[in-house]
PDB file of all heavy atoms in Angstrom:
ATOM      1  N   ASN I 368       6.856  30.783  -3.313  1.00  0.00           N
ATOM      2  CA  ASN I 368       5.905  29.753  -3.720  1.00  0.00           C
ATOM      3  C   ASN I 368       6.164  28.400  -3.068  1.00  0.00           C
ATOM      4  O   ASN I 368       5.416  27.448  -3.285  1.00  0.00           O
ATOM      5  CB  ASN I 368       5.879  29.609  -5.244  1.00  0.00           C
ATOM      6  CG  ASN I 368       7.164  28.992  -5.803  1.00  0.00           C
ATOM      7  OD1 ASN I 368       8.199  28.998  -5.138  1.00  0.00           O
ATOM      8  ND2 ASN I 368       7.090  28.468  -7.017  1.00  0.00           N
ATOM      9  N   GLU I 369       7.228  28.298  -2.262  1.00  0.00           N
ATOM     10  CA  GLU I 369       7.485  27.064  -1.536  1.00  0.00           C
ATOM     11  C   GLU I 369       7.033  27.155  -0.074  1.00  0.00           C
ATOM     12  O   GLU I 369       7.196  26.186   0.669  1.00  0.00           O
ATOM     13  CB  GLU I 369       8.975  26.723  -1.596  1.00  0.00           C
ATOM     14  CG  GLU I 369       9.449  26.327  -2.984  1.00  0.00           C
ATOM     15  CD  GLU I 369      10.878  25.839  -2.997  1.00  0.00           C
ATOM     16  OE1 GLU I 369      11.398  25.470  -1.921  1.00  0.00           O
ATOM     17  OE2 GLU I 369      11.487  25.829  -4.090  1.00  0.00           O
ATOM     18  N   VAL I 370       6.480  28.290   0.315  1.00  0.00           N
ATOM     19  CA  VAL I 370       6.020  28.478   1.690  1.00  0.00           C
ATOM     20  C   VAL I 370       4.516  28.719   1.680  1.00  0.00           C
ATOM     21  O   VAL I 370       4.011  29.538   0.904  1.00  0.00           O
ATOM     22  CB  VAL I 370       6.733  29.667   2.367  1.00  0.00           C
ATOM     23  CG1 VAL I 370       6.260  29.827   3.804  1.00  0.00           C
ATOM     24  CG2 VAL I 370       8.245  29.470   2.329  1.00  0.00           C
ATOM     25  N   PHE I 371       3.806  27.992   2.523  1.00  0.00           N
ATOM     26  CA  PHE I 371       2.349  28.077   2.593  1.00  0.00           C
ATOM     27  C   PHE I 371       1.978  28.929   3.810  1.00  0.00           C
ATOM     28  O   PHE I 371       2.256  28.560   4.952  1.00  0.00           O
ATOM     29  CB  PHE I 371       1.755  26.677   2.723  1.00  0.00           C
ATOM     30  CG  PHE I 371       0.258  26.606   2.555  1.00  0.00           C
ATOM     31  CD1 PHE I 371      -0.298  26.131   1.379  1.00  0.00           C
ATOM     32  CD2 PHE I 371      -0.597  27.004   3.574  1.00  0.00           C
ATOM     33  CE1 PHE I 371      -1.679  26.039   1.221  1.00  0.00           C
ATOM     34  CE2 PHE I 371      -1.972  26.922   3.436  1.00  0.00           C
ATOM     35  CZ  PHE I 371      -2.519  26.444   2.251  1.00  0.00           C
ATOM     36  N   ILE I 372       1.335  30.073   3.561  1.00  0.00           N
ATOM     37  CA  ILE I 372       0.917  30.973   4.637  1.00  0.00           C
ATOM     38  C   ILE I 372      -0.595  30.891   4.818  1.00  0.00           C
ATOM     39  O   ILE I 372      -1.358  31.099   3.874  1.00  0.00           O
ATOM     40  CB  ILE I 372       1.298  32.435   4.331  1.00  0.00           C
ATOM     41  CG1 ILE I 372       2.802  32.584   4.136  1.00  0.00           C
ATOM     42  CG2 ILE I 372       0.810  33.352   5.456  1.00  0.00           C
ATOM     43  CD1 ILE I 372       3.210  33.982   3.688  1.00  0.00           C
ATOM     44  N   THR I 373      -1.008  30.596   6.043  1.00  0.00           N
ATOM     45  CA  THR I 373      -2.421  30.694   6.417  1.00  0.00           C
ATOM     46  C   THR I 373      -2.585  31.917   7.310  1.00  0.00           C
ATOM     47  O   THR I 373      -1.786  32.152   8.213  1.00  0.00           O
ATOM     48  CB  THR I 373      -2.888  29.458   7.195  1.00  0.00           C
ATOM     49  OG1 THR I 373      -2.759  28.300   6.379  1.00  0.00           O
ATOM     50  CG2 THR I 373      -4.353  29.597   7.622  1.00  0.00           C
ATOM     51  N   SER I 374      -3.622  32.702   7.058  1.00  0.00           N
ATOM     52  CA  SER I 374      -3.952  33.799   7.971  1.00  0.00           C
ATOM     53  C   SER I 374      -5.466  33.855   8.140  1.00  0.00           C
ATOM     54  O   SER I 374      -6.200  33.097   7.498  1.00  0.00           O
ATOM     55  CB  SER I 374      -3.406  35.137   7.465  1.00  0.00           C
ATOM     56  OG  SER I 374      -3.385  36.093   8.523  1.00  0.00           O
ATOM     57  N   LYS I 375      -5.912  34.750   9.020  1.00  0.00           N
ATOM     58  CA  LYS I 375      -7.331  34.789   9.385  1.00  0.00           C
ATOM     59  C   LYS I 375      -7.817  36.221   9.538  1.00  0.00           C
ATOM     60  O   LYS I 375      -7.095  37.069  10.052  1.00  0.00           O
ATOM     61  CB  LYS I 375      -7.573  34.016  10.680  1.00  0.00           C
ATOM     62  CG  LYS I 375      -6.970  32.626  10.697  1.00  0.00           C
ATOM     63  CD  LYS I 375      -7.150  31.944  12.034  1.00  0.00           C
ATOM     64  CE  LYS I 375      -6.298  30.694  12.134  1.00  0.00           C
ATOM     65  NZ  LYS I 375      -4.861  30.986  12.332  1.00  0.00           N
ATOM     66  N   THR I 376      -9.071  36.436   9.123  1.00  0.00           N
ATOM     67  CA  THR I 376      -9.714  37.735   9.273  1.00  0.00           C
ATOM     68  C   THR I 376     -10.783  37.651  10.358  1.00  0.00           C
ATOM     69  O   THR I 376     -11.215  36.567  10.749  1.00  0.00           O
ATOM     70  CB  THR I 376     -10.396  38.179   7.966  1.00  0.00           C
ATOM     71  OG1 THR I 376     -11.509  37.297   7.712  1.00  0.00           O
ATOM     72  CG2 THR I 376      -9.448  38.119   6.793  1.00  0.00           C
ATOM     73  N   GLY I 377     -11.220  38.816  10.796  1.00  0.00           N
ATOM     74  CA  GLY I 377     -12.359  38.876  11.705  1.00  0.00           C
ATOM     75  C   GLY I 377     -12.033  38.529  13.139  1.00  0.00           C
ATOM     76  O   GLY I 377     -10.864  38.469  13.526  1.00  0.00           O
ATOM     77  N   PRO I 378     -13.065  38.292  13.956  1.00  0.00           N
ATOM     78  CA  PRO I 378     -12.875  38.054  15.394  1.00  0.00           C
ATOM     79  C   PRO I 378     -11.978  36.856  15.670  1.00  0.00           C
ATOM     80  O   PRO I 378     -11.996  35.867  14.944  1.00  0.00           O
ATOM     81  CB  PRO I 378     -14.293  37.782  15.893  1.00  0.00           C
ATOM     82  CG  PRO I 378     -15.176  38.415  14.888  1.00  0.00           C
ATOM     83  CD  PRO I 378     -14.475  38.267  13.584  1.00  0.00           C
ATOM     84  N   GLY I 379     -11.201  36.968  16.694  1.00  0.00           N
ATOM     85  CA  GLY I 379     -10.313  35.888  17.138  1.00  0.00           C
ATOM     86  C   GLY I 379      -9.731  36.299  18.462  1.00  0.00           C
ATOM     87  O   GLY I 379     -10.453  36.540  19.414  1.00  0.00           O
TER      88      GLY I 379
END
Side-chain angles (χ1 to χ4, degrees):
N368 70 340
E369 291 187 19
V370 181
F371 191 104
I372 301 174
T373 298
S374 197
K375 310 176 192 74
T376 68

